[in-house]
Amino acid sequence: MSSLTTTPVDTDLPCAICGYNLKGLAPEANCPECGQPISRTFTFGLSHADPKWLRGQAANLPWLVTLFLLNFGRTYYRVGDEVVNHVLEAVNGLTAIVAAVACFRLAAPDPYRPDEHGTLSRGLKLTAVLLALLMLGDLVYLWMFGRDLSAWPPERRFLLMASAFFLLHAVVTFLTLITVAQLAKRAGVRSLEKQAWTFGCLLSIVPLLNMVPFLLSYGRLPEVFVIVYSVLPLVLSAALYLTLMLLGRMYEIVHAAAREAEARGEPAGVDHATNLTSS
């Protein structure tokens, strides 16, 4: 760990793992709160990540918008021309597949820190794959057997598939924004980390709200849900705008971190990873 100074930390420095103030401690020591090497805090920032991984993350962030667009298009309540209904259904299905691929790529671990957030990454990958498989199955079923999209109540198989989609969409939305929050944490931008956590909690509720009409007939919907569905498009529009701003800001931060990591050089990052593993 020759790249780290042996001078005790002379300023307030929260541990990257538990938040304990490391001021006065030597960089080669362990955190007295969580027991993790203090060196992890020095190498926690995005500028110490694999430059290639950072470039991939930056390029992938804009594609995550497709996941949130599904809150607008995936309604299942369409009437009119049957061909138009099928085209819209196909577009929504393909959008969901693109979103699932983007989420899977977001879950790719940093090669310099492969075990970091392993459970979160595996959960996001699994649910993203399940979402893509569900949508592929939905499209195949639609094109092979057709579907009366205006019928109510819907057939049981369609009802189960739609409910599974809404549940998966809620889980994937939450895990995606929590993963973005972890990127913001490594970047040291506390405000973006809080925003990602907030949007993750709020936007994951939307698919569950969309599932309620499948459980109750429209004529029996409680008045509170009628009010919610009347204002939901406005809330979603505002949430989508704020999420776009969040992803745009994260793109700039990750892109800048990639340039800094490239300037720092790969050997330093590899040495850090080796040191952390051996610790």
Side-chain angles (χ1 to χ4, degrees):
M1 291 173 55
S2 58
S3 59
L4 294 177
T5 178
T6 58
T7 304
V9 180
D10 58 0
T11 60
D12 290 335
L13 179 67
C15 174
I17 309 302
C18 66
Y20 182 85
N21 191 347
L22 303 174
K23 184 176 181 180
L25 300 175
E28 64 270 18
N30 292 337
C31 173
E33 181 71 19
C34 64
Q36 295 298 315
I38 293 177
S39 58
R40 294 194 64 177
T41 295
F42 286 94
T43 59
F44 187 74
L46 283 182
S47 61
H48 291 272
D50 178 15
K52 184 177 180 181
W53 175 78
L54 287 170
R55 293 286 184 186
Q57 290 293 309
N60 185 61
L61 281 170
W63 290 101
L64 294 176
V65 175
T66 55
L67 178 65
F68 309 109
L69 289 176
L70 292 175
N71 285 322
F72 292 88
R74 196 75 177 172
T75 61
Y76 288 103
Y77 310 118
R78 303 188 183 93
V79 295
D81 187 86
E82 188 71 12
V83 174
V84 174
N85 285 332
H86 287 319
V87 170
L88 290 174
E89 183 74 6
V91 169
N92 286 327
L94 293 175
T95 301
I97 293 172
V98 172
V101 172
C103 293
F104 191 90
R105 293 180 60 187
L106 178 69
D110 176 5
Y112 292 174
R113 302 172 68 89
D115 297 328
E116 184 182 31
H117 311 306
T119 302
L120 174 62
S121 298
R122 288 189 291 270
L124 180 54
K125 284 184 176 181
L126 175 61
T127 51
V129 169
L130 290 177
L131 183 66
L133 291 176
L134 177 64
M135 295 313 305
L136 283 173
D138 189 36
L139 288 175
V140 170
Y141 180 82
L142 173 67
W143 291 334
M144 291 183 62
F145 303 104
R147 181 186 297 149
D148 183 4
L149 298 175
S150 62
W152 189 266
E155 57 187 82
R156 182 176 179 82
R157 184 181 301 178
F158 175 52
L159 177 62
L160 293 175
M161 188 172 292
S163 299
F165 168 81
F166 287 131
L167 289 173
L168 273 175
H169 189 201
V171 174
V172 173
T173 297
F174 179 76
L175 295 180
T176 295
L177 285 168
I178 298 311
T179 304
V180 173
Q182 296 304 324
L183 282 176
K185 181 179 181 180
R186 288 192 66 178
V189 186
R190 183 66 174 170
S191 60
L192 292 181
E193 181 188 355
K194 289 182 178 180
Q195 288 179 35
W197 268 99
T198 302
F199 294 160
C201 294
L202 293 179
L203 290 179
S204 60
I205 297 176
V206 175
L208 301 180
L209 290 175
N210 287 331
M211 190 173 64
V212 172
F214 285 87
L215 305 178
L216 299 173
S217 170
Y218 264 118
R220 293 163 42 203
L221 277 179
E223 184 177 353
V224 63
F225 281 102
V226 176
I227 298 175
V228 168
Y229 288 124
S230 64
V231 301
L232 191 58
L234 296 177
V235 175
L236 280 176
S237 298
L240 179 61
Y241 175 74
L242 294 175
T243 304
L244 285 173
M245 292 181 61
L246 170 65
L247 294 178
R249 180 63 179 141
M250 285 304 305
Y251 170 84
E252 295 175 353
I253 291 173
V254 175
H255 194 69
R259 292 197 300 267
E260 187 175 346
E262 290 170 347
R264 185 184 300 274
E266 183 175 346
V270 174
D271 288 342
H272 286 316
T274 303
N275 289 332
L276 295 179
T277 302
S278 62
S279 301

